[in-house]
Amino acid sequence: MLITGPRGTKDILPDVSGNWQYIEKTVRDICSLYGYKEIRTPIFEHTELFLRGIGETTDIVSKEMYTFTDRGERSLTLRPENTAAVVRAFLEHKLYAESLLSKMFYIGPMFRYDRPQAGRYRQFHQFGVEALGSKGPAIDAEVIILAVQLLERLGLTDLNLYVNSVGCPECRPVYREKLQDYLREKTTDLCTDCQSRFDRNPMRILDCKKTKCTEESAGAPHIVDCLCDDCSTHFEQLKSLLSAAGIHYVLNPRLVRGLDYYTKTAFEIQYAPLGSQSAVCGGGRYDGLVAECGGQATPSIGFAIGIERILLALEKQGLLPDASNEIDVFVAPIGKEVQGIAFKLLCDLRKNGVTADMDFMDRNIKGQMKQANKYPARFVAIIGDDEAAQGKVMLKNMQSGVQELVDIHAVQNKIQVEMED
Ligand code: AMP
């Protein structure tokens, strides 16, 4: 019996890996424009990092982690997200000592024991940025604009940017109480998850997608009406920076993060045509996380974008680049005797940066021409006994159909001249 890939995973096959490279290249180009440098952290970390860095009450930690004990009896976890690991590396390598503001990005696989469906996998990929060190709203605006510009550069339209402020440990407890007062009478009508959130993490009730929970919380007070002066000023400044940059946003008071180290700005970018998995980007400020992980308090902000969802969105809008396998030259020997000469020509062309291939399956000339067309190849260099005896090849321009006897050492020169014409 054939063994298949695990549930919730996907193979990225050769005919679509070009789409991934296209997105990755666009990500790298944008990050270099904005001065964010790549960080690559391990795929697995000590479980403790995620317990502290994501929070034990979150769905990710309580239900979705791939945790295992290694042969040395350590509890390790496949990373379900990458912010905690970036913070760990920031502290472990004292990146704070190198510059006042550390701007980093990552791209890579994340692992969550989620219920697989279109746009939701158990191994998925995120691109994210983290800016550690600045408390001002300008860096929030920069990070949000970077995300928007990336999606726009890929050609996506129909995007909605939602922003909110989740306050800080000073003003949030006041809001939390107001929210609990509002929901207290309604708890029995909430889903079981939200019933247990009522005491632990009531703000998370606001982003529960279940109809009864959205109905019950519809008239709940808004946190933006309870912000302290500092959080309120920060939010106002962020909004005016976004407006000044021509970024359209929508206020969404239900956009929340439930943990204490999430502070002030929260944002999300949605691409509505993806339906239930429309969130393509989620991010926000986490001024308390570095201290939670054992460092000095360091105001920070970041986001993560799901690459599979971007691919789905690009596919929907017909924005994926055409896959091209085009090569410059296909070398076609006729008969075994000239194979050595043909192979040497192939090696020389490649050494000089010409994309070239040849037949490795002992096909006859008809089969080889078919293969050359399939690539397609711009030129075919045919070598039979006669050509080999004269130190020449028959070079066929596949576009014009013209063929010409060319010295074997002049093949590269000849195709370069013709390609420039
Ligand atoms: P989060 O880390 O939960 O804030 O998610 C950030 C982004 O990652 C989301 O907006 C999605 O685009 C993507 N994402 C999260 N979970 C999954 C998943 N299981 N499968 C695919 N993409 C995901």
Side-chain angles (χ1 to χ4, degrees), residues 47-59:
T47 303
E48 173 67 20
L49 176 70
F50 301 118
L51 301 185
R52 274 208 256 165
I54 304 175
E56 298 191 36
T57 58
T58 57
D59 284 356

Side-chain angles (χ1 to χ4, degrees), residues 64 79 134 231 248 281 287 374 420:
E64 297 173 359
R79 60 184 189 189
S134 169
C231 289
H248 181 74
C281 171
D287 289 350
K374 198 169 158 201
E420 276 161 21

Side-chain angles (χ1 to χ4, degrees), residues 8 60 64 80-83 106 110-127 257 262 267-269 274 277-283 303-310:
I60 293 185
E64 297 173 359
E81 57 93 62
N82 214 26
T83 304
Y106 58 81
M110 308 294 155
F111 307 85
R112 292 184 196 172
Y113 193 79
D114 245 330
R115 194 167 58 79
Q117 51 191 291
R120 186 166 286 279
Y121 311 97
R122 291 185 173 168
Q123 174 172 338
F124 60 100
H125 297 76
Q126 284 184 336
F127 151 60
R257 313 233 144 195
Y262 290 117
F267 68 99
E268 191 166 281
I269 303 176
L274 290 184
Q277 308 304 321
S278 62
V280 291
C281 171
F303 68 71
I305 284 183
I307 300 191
E308 281 81 359
R309 301 221 181 139
I310 301 297

